[in-house]
Amino acid sequence: MHWADVLAEELLKEKKKHVLATGITPSGPIHIGNMREILTTDAVYRSVLSKGGDANLIYVADDFDPLRKVYPYLPKTYEKYVGMPISDIPCPCKKHKSYADHYLISFLNSLKEVGVRPEVHRASLMYKNGEYNEAIKIAMDNTDKIKDIIQKISKRQLPKDWIPFNIRCEKCKKMTNAKAVLYDYPYIEYICGCGYEGKVDITKGGVGKLPWRVDWPARWKMLGVTFEPFGKDLGTVGGARDTGERIVEEIYDYPAPKYTVYEFIMLKGKGAMHSSKGTALSAEEMLKMTPPEVLRFLIMNNQPGKHIVFDSGLGLLNLVDEYDKLERVYFGKEEPEKGMKDLEKTYELSQPEGIKKKMPYQLPYRHLVTLVQIDPSWSNIKNILLRTNQIPKELDKENERHLKQRAEHAKNWLDIFAPEMVKFEVKKQIPKLKLQKDQIEFLKSFKDNISSIKWEPEDIHNAIYETSENLNIPIKASFKTIYQIILGQEKGPRAGFFLSNLDKNFVLKRIEEAVK
Ligand SMILES: [Zn+2]
Ligand SMILES: [Zn+2]
């Protein structure tokens, strides 16, 4: 059984109605590891629905969290904002409403693209609207108990004057500097590091925030959460999940949600991704170069507890091939391979929007990678595809949209991540070259041989081999000659397929110029 079905069944055993939550602090580019969290939750959500359950998928953006430090991707001038809630800090590009929005909006757009449509809750509004008020009072009334739980479980000592509330200083607006002096409901008197002394009324929303270890369980109860996965960093013994479980049950009188622990996604050659260390690949960047169904497939095809190494180089092409193969198997066009598990469910969960009745028209992704380098415009690519019979004349709109989108992704991949070895450019003018005698001899004879053949990959391929053999020229040298006169480099994509996509007259003319 697929892991999402296993988790969904566990939930449905308890009851029919579920709230599946996922959350993120948008304090930096939201990376692909976070995408795993939300896609994992989305998979369980879809499985609960498909089994007749009633479910809600929610996404909590913790945009009331203070900025922890000036991250490497921020200007130095942000030093003055450290400690302020990220929803109150200006956005670095000046185009968004706030710092939090700057990162959140692009992530929410990415979610749309992968077909995830959660109900979004913003912590800043929940605090400011007073939705947290009751949870804050309960926490303050149970300060000693909460402190005890955290100290015992996390094995770390909290300061003597610790309270489960971070006051936001009214003067410097920082949430990390104020010390409580006296609590007398509904007021907390405080002294701030900036020198200000004041008091806040906790029945007025937005005057501070529960610390993370208390905020999380409080939120479970407020939103009625029954399932929320977390990364293995939070799942460590004594971690926030452990203390949260005790706090939600003992202080908030609410059962801890079910969960699954998901592993990190490693970027090949870079290790685990952490936004704060700059080793992250943002979800947005990844989606630019990965078709959305393929990104979903990467998550759905692996148990959450298995770590994934994402190879943004040639590995990405293999991943797309693997997905395309699964699609052919799903539609009964090919036999499954050994080791392909839960393939139907994996394929279905990989679809951003519904499952097509007919198999989408497939074109090997590698071919697209070659084609977009021959000509980046879709209408020209489409003409090449039609001329070379790689797509049927009556390709429908939906399939065309799909191929066009993939061509876009291939282009972005070439721009950002593709290794140099797969890149090339068809030179508009013949490159400056000094060809050897045997190269000229090869080109002359090759031109004669191709003038009468069908302009198709195999025929061209055979012509290259025959010409080489007849002249006793090593085949490698012949390929090199072809690449040199067209690309101005010594290597290139598979010659037969490559040349077939170019206009035959263009190739003949180029050879003429080269042998002149
Ligand atoms: Zn911005
Ligand atoms: Zn202050």
mmCIF file of all heavy atoms in Angstrom, residues 169-174 177 192-196, ligand 2:
data_model
loop_
_atom_site.group_PDB
_atom_site.id
_atom_site.type_symbol
_atom_site.label_atom_id
_atom_site.label_comp_id
_atom_site.label_asym_id
_atom_site.label_seq_id
_atom_site.Cartn_x
_atom_site.Cartn_y
_atom_site.Cartn_z
ATOM 1 N N CYS A 169 8.035 44.836 22.527
ATOM 2 C CA CYS A 169 8.233 46.161 23.122
ATOM 3 C C CYS A 169 7.522 47.221 22.292
ATOM 4 O O CYS A 169 7.643 47.267 21.077
ATOM 5 C CB CYS A 169 9.736 46.470 23.218
ATOM 6 S SG CYS A 169 10.092 48.183 23.628
ATOM 7 N N GLU A 170 6.770 48.074 22.977
ATOM 8 C CA GLU A 170 5.989 49.084 22.249
ATOM 9 C C GLU A 170 6.885 50.166 21.653
ATOM 10 O O GLU A 170 6.498 50.844 20.714
ATOM 11 C CB GLU A 170 4.971 49.743 23.184
ATOM 12 C CG GLU A 170 3.907 48.777 23.674
ATOM 13 C CD GLU A 170 3.466 49.062 25.093
ATOM 14 O OE1 GLU A 170 4.261 48.818 26.031
ATOM 15 O OE2 GLU A 170 2.331 49.555 25.254
ATOM 16 N N LYS A 171 8.080 50.302 22.201
ATOM 17 C CA LYS A 171 8.955 51.352 21.695
ATOM 18 C C LYS A 171 9.818 50.850 20.532
ATOM 19 O O LYS A 171 9.748 51.375 19.433
ATOM 20 C CB LYS A 171 9.850 51.846 22.851
ATOM 21 C CG LYS A 171 10.894 52.850 22.452
ATOM 22 C CD LYS A 171 10.791 54.125 23.281
ATOM 23 C CE LYS A 171 11.675 55.226 22.766
ATOM 24 N NZ LYS A 171 13.092 55.008 23.145
ATOM 25 N N CYS A 172 10.628 49.797 20.773
ATOM 26 C CA CYS A 172 11.548 49.352 19.718
ATOM 27 C C CYS A 172 10.936 48.281 18.827
ATOM 28 O O CYS A 172 11.540 47.869 17.845
ATOM 29 C CB CYS A 172 12.866 48.861 20.314
ATOM 30 S SG CYS A 172 12.735 47.326 21.251
ATOM 31 N N LYS A 173 9.719 47.838 19.142
ATOM 32 C CA LYS A 173 8.969 46.860 18.335
ATOM 33 C C LYS A 173 9.619 45.483 18.272
ATOM 34 O O LYS A 173 9.227 44.646 17.466
ATOM 35 C CB LYS A 173 8.749 47.371 16.889
ATOM 36 C CG LYS A 173 8.226 48.779 16.786
ATOM 37 C CD LYS A 173 6.765 48.837 17.177
ATOM 38 C CE LYS A 173 6.222 50.268 17.074
ATOM 39 N NZ LYS A 173 5.136 50.515 17.992
ATOM 40 N N LYS A 174 10.652 45.269 19.094
ATOM 41 C CA LYS A 174 11.317 43.968 19.057
ATOM 42 C C LYS A 174 10.660 43.008 20.024
ATOM 43 O O LYS A 174 10.140 43.402 21.058
ATOM 44 C CB LYS A 174 12.804 44.122 19.383
ATOM 45 C CG LYS A 174 13.461 44.996 18.358
ATOM 46 C CD LYS A 174 14.952 44.860 18.329
ATOM 47 C CE LYS A 174 15.450 45.705 17.144
ATOM 48 N NZ LYS A 174 16.822 45.486 16.817
ATOM 49 N N ASN A 177 13.605 41.312 23.295
ATOM 50 C CA ASN A 177 14.396 42.124 24.220
ATOM 51 C C ASN A 177 13.752 42.386 25.573
ATOM 52 O O ASN A 177 14.406 42.828 26.498
ATOM 53 C CB ASN A 177 14.648 43.502 23.573
ATOM 54 C CG ASN A 177 16.025 43.563 22.966
ATOM 55 O OD1 ASN A 177 16.847 42.688 23.256
ATOM 56 N ND2 ASN A 177 16.280 44.556 22.142
ATOM 57 N N CYS A 192 12.423 46.669 28.776
ATOM 58 C CA CYS A 192 13.037 46.217 27.526
ATOM 59 C C CYS A 192 14.514 46.583 27.506
ATOM 60 O O CYS A 192 14.942 47.553 28.139
ATOM 61 C CB CYS A 192 12.326 46.861 26.337
ATOM 62 S SG CYS A 192 13.019 46.333 24.751
ATOM 63 N N GLY A 193 15.290 45.811 26.766
ATOM 64 C CA GLY A 193 16.722 46.074 26.599
ATOM 65 C C GLY A 193 16.987 47.463 26.021
ATOM 66 O O GLY A 193 18.062 48.037 26.189
ATOM 67 N N CYS A 194 15.986 48.012 25.313
ATOM 68 C CA CYS A 194 16.167 49.344 24.713
ATOM 69 C C CYS A 194 16.017 50.444 25.759
ATOM 70 O O CYS A 194 16.187 51.622 25.465
ATOM 71 C CB CYS A 194 15.174 49.560 23.583
ATOM 72 S SG CYS A 194 13.466 49.831 24.121
ATOM 73 N N GLY A 195 15.646 50.054 26.984
ATOM 74 C CA GLY A 195 15.508 51.039 28.054
ATOM 75 C C GLY A 195 14.059 51.370 28.383
ATOM 76 O O GLY A 195 13.764 51.961 29.413
ATOM 77 N N TYR A 196 13.172 50.950 27.522
ATOM 78 C CA TYR A 196 11.764 51.292 27.721
ATOM 79 C C TYR A 196 11.126 50.421 28.809
ATOM 80 O O TYR A 196 11.400 49.224 28.899
ATOM 81 C CB TYR A 196 11.018 51.112 26.403
ATOM 82 C CG TYR A 196 9.576 51.577 26.447
ATOM 83 C CD1 TYR A 196 9.254 52.935 26.393
ATOM 84 C CD2 TYR A 196 8.534 50.647 26.537
ATOM 85 C CE1 TYR A 196 7.931 53.359 26.429
ATOM 86 C CE2 TYR A 196 7.215 51.053 26.567
ATOM 87 C CZ TYR A 196 6.914 52.417 26.516
ATOM 88 O OH TYR A 196 5.612 52.824 26.549
HETATM 89 ZN ZN ZN B 2 12.314 47.985 23.390
#
